[in-house]
Amino acid sequence: MQSGAIRPIPNMLARKLFTSDHEAFRETVRKFYEKEVVPNIEKYEKQQHVDRDLWNKAGELGLLCTTMPEEYGGSGVDRLYSMILIEEQAYAMDSSTGFSLHSDIVANYINNFGNEEQKQKWLPKMATGETVTAIAMTEPGTGSDLQAVRTTAVLDGDEYVINGSKIFITNGYLCDMAIVVCKTGNTEKGSANLSLIIVEADRAGFSKGKPLNKIGMKGQDTCELFFDNVRVPKENLLGMEGMGFMMLMKELAWERMLVAIICQAGAEAAFAHTVQYTKDRKAFGKPIGTFQNTRFKLAELRTEIDFCRTYLDRCMELQLEESLGVDAAAAAKYKISDMFSKVVDECLQLHGGYGYMLEYPIARAYIDNRANRIYAGTNEIMKELISRTL
Ligand SMILES: Cc1cc2nc3c(=O)[nH]c(=O)nc-3n(C[C@H](O)[C@H](O)[C@H](O)COP(=O)(O)OP(=O)(O)OC[C@H]3O[C@@H](n4cnc5c(N)ncnc54)[C@H](O)[C@@H]3O)c2cc1C
């Protein structure tokens, strides 16, 4: 059986994004995954979520909400630190931890649109892991078409009363708080009807389903959330009523980048495992890596991986300058998640029958990778966005 932790093969065009400070941080993250996560992946997959205290351990090491301002418990660093966290998760071939959604999506909503009280209340606890968070947009009846959400929040005196349900919610099972996309208006312009409301998990009427039985990413908790006359104070509204859709749009390019980053690093990890395997495995008296078919396949994959890496790192430079376009980010998400699927398929083939066995990381990567083409906006929706700019 192969270990789940591997270093990627250096790209043909050397990467230029990181400083020595970034690399030191990468080492901390790498050790965290090697020590705390990789040995427990099987356990997480059985229970369908990570251990709750893993969040606190990550918080202690400064691995949560790292880019948040220091006054709110973060380290106030650039988003390359988020990139490193995601890459090291992928190099460890882990799909259990939902840190990125918490740190790079939910925290951004609070930091960008929360008032001072909300930031002080939530961000420090999110940075320590005391509070685990989720973002609940998708419903049984709607996913891609967000404007069609049916969960309602109706103002009653000083409280919103929330009714409805959400599905496929990452971190949903362990979450202590969720930002819930609710319908607060009834105007003709669907996008003006949405608001984001902070809902604490211990509110009466808020319940969670069991973790959903997914085909892959089995260690990551994904579940349904139900709201039955859940009352929250009107102070739990994030930003302004009716501005939910606009707020969701602000960080969309970044959210697509998060998926592109995990797919790129996932492909690099799958490739490194496969190169090693083709050196070790023998057929007809020689390593399978010596056959021309294997060498050519690996050369093709390496070329595709490296082309995507160059595009992605360039997107990241633009992201840091805050000038990454929605179309370029959509292209990164769709192209790199497609590339990841192709890479794991070809790599599995090079493993022969062992590639079909779940104790081999390539088998898990083959199953786990599939969701990347669906969430954070399906790849079809990405093509819609790109085509609109033509
Ligand atoms: C593992 C996992 C984790 C997730 N985590 C979260 C989470 O944390 N929070 C959350 O809110 N959601 C989450 N989701 C939900 C995810 O974002 C949705 O599944 C996704 O947006 C697609 O919505 P849907 O499933 O309703 O599919 P649908 O919107 O019903 O789409 C079905 C098919 O129709 C296609 N389609 C739809 N509209 C168009 C169009 N205009 N043009 C062309 N094709 C179209 C789609 O591309 C797709 O192929 C998660 C999903 C998964 C699988």
Side-chain angles (χ1 to χ4, degrees):
M1 179 170 141
Q2 298 173 317
S3 129
I6 195 158
R7 299 316 297 160
I9 293 167
N11 298 99
M12 292 186 280
L13 300 181
R15 300 183 68 187
K16 294 225 150 109
L17 287 175
F18 304 111
T19 64
S20 55
D21 285 349
H22 291 122
E23 293 305 345
F25 180 72
R26 182 184 290 284
E27 198 52 20
T28 307
V29 185
R30 184 181 68 75
K31 285 191 184 135
F32 171 80
Y33 271 95
E34 238 171 54
K35 180 164 167 254
E36 304 290 350
V37 180
V38 172
N40 294 313
I41 288 178
E42 259 179 59
K43 177 182 162 196
Y44 299 155
E45 292 193 339
K46 275 205 188 97
Q47 67 194 26
Q48 297 185 292
H49 56 81
V50 300
D51 289 341
R52 178 61 182 81
D53 71 351
L54 188 70
W55 284 88
N56 306 82
K57 287 179 184 168
E60 271 164 37
L61 288 171
L63 307 186
L64 299 176
C65 302
T66 315
T67 61
M68 289 299 112
E70 284 179 87
E71 68 257 43
Y72 304 125
S75 304
V77 290
D78 62 54
R79 290 185 179 185
L80 287 169
Y81 285 80
S82 299
M83 188 181 210
I84 290 167
L85 278 155
I86 300 168
E87 287 180 353
E88 289 306 314
Q89 175 178 6
Y91 295 149
M93 294 190 114
D94 166 58
S95 61
S96 308
T97 49
F99 297 154
S100 177
L101 181 130
H102 166 94
S103 304
D104 297 311
I105 298 182
V106 179
N108 276 337
Y109 285 132
I110 295 179
N111 192 41
N112 290 342
F113 303 109
N115 55 36
E116 191 53 33
E117 206 182 325
Q118 288 168 331
K119 290 189 209 188
Q120 280 181 14
K121 178 169 178 192
W122 292 109
L123 292 174
K125 289 197 283 187
M126 289 172 66
T128 58
E130 186 186 335
T131 297
V132 173
T133 62
I135 172 97
M137 297 180 273
T138 308
E139 301 186 352
T142 194
S144 305
D145 183 9
L146 200 57
Q147 296 183 25
V149 301
R150 294 174 63 179
T151 298
T152 51
V154 178
L155 206 50
D156 178 28
D158 285 344
E159 294 176 324
Y160 279 106
V161 184
I162 302 175
N163 279 290
S165 69
K166 299 286 178 181
I167 196 165
F168 308 145
I169 306 307
T170 303
N171 298 339
Y173 189 68
L174 289 180
C175 78
D176 305 294
M177 176 274 263
I179 294 182
V180 183
V181 179
C182 297
K183 194 172 169 203
T184 46
N186 238 333
T187 65
E188 266 176 37
K189 197 173 170 225
S191 60
N193 294 331
L194 301 183
S195 301
L196 305 187
I197 300 187
I198 295 173
V199 183
E200 298 89 346
D202 56 4
R203 293 267 170 204
F206 180 6
S207 58
K208 301 168 175 181
K210 281 198 226 119
L212 293 164
N213 196 12
K214 307 187 291 296
I215 61 168
M217 302 178 72
K218 287 198 175 272
Q220 181 163 113
D221 93 58
T222 312
C223 81
E224 279 183 272
L225 305 177
F226 305 98
F227 306 91
D228 181 12
N229 284 316
V230 179
R231 288 185 164 267
V232 299
K234 68 175 195 280
E235 288 72 36
N236 279 24
L237 176 73
L238 201 55
M240 280 155 61
E241 200 173 281
M243 297 299 278
F245 196 75
M246 191 278 293
M247 292 189 269
L248 291 169
M249 295 301 119
K250 175 160 190 315
E251 293 279 359
L252 267 188
W254 174 234
E255 288 163 25
R256 271 115 203 207
M257 281 291 286
L258 300 173
V259 178
I261 293 167
I262 197 138
C263 290
Q264 179 66 36
E268 290 170 354
F271 183 70
H273 271 287
T274 305
V275 168
Q276 189 57 51
Y277 186 82
T278 60
K279 287 181 180 168
D280 297 340
R281 176 75 177 168
K282 290 202 171 68
F284 299 95
K286 35 185 180 171
I288 59 168
T290 59
F291 301 133
Q292 189 189 55
N293 177 65
T294 309
R295 289 187 290 105
F296 280 17
K297 271 288 168 237
L298 291 176
E300 285 167 21
L301 295 181
R302 182 165 206 210
T303 304
E304 289 205 34
I305 290 170
D306 278 32
F307 267 64
C308 285
R309 168 55 74 199
T310 308
Y311 181 86
L312 180 63
D313 280 4
R314 175 71 188 128
C315 285
M316 196 62 198
E317 285 172 353
L318 295 172
Q319 174 72 57
L320 294 171
E321 293 166 11
E322 296 185 13
S323 60
L324 179 65
V326 168
D327 50 348
K333 193 270 171 180
Y334 119 69
K335 180 70 189 165
I336 298 175
S337 59
D338 272 5
M339 178 276 290
F340 186 21
S341 284
K342 181 179 174 195
V343 167
V344 289
D345 186 57
E346 299 276 18
C347 286
L348 188 150
Q349 186 69 15
L350 290 172
H351 278 71
Y354 292 97
Y356 204 63
M357 301 298 134
L358 276 174
E359 65 260 41
Y360 278 75
I362 193 64
R364 273 218 333 277
Y366 179 80
I367 305 168
D368 288 351
N369 96 87
R370 190 59 184 84
N372 291 297
R373 284 156 55 196
I374 299 170
Y375 52 42
T378 65
N379 283 9
E380 292 71 36
I381 296 295
M382 297 303 107
K383 290 175 200 175
E384 265 297 321
L385 295 172
I386 299 162
S387 70
R388 278 182 209 164
T389 62
L390 298 177

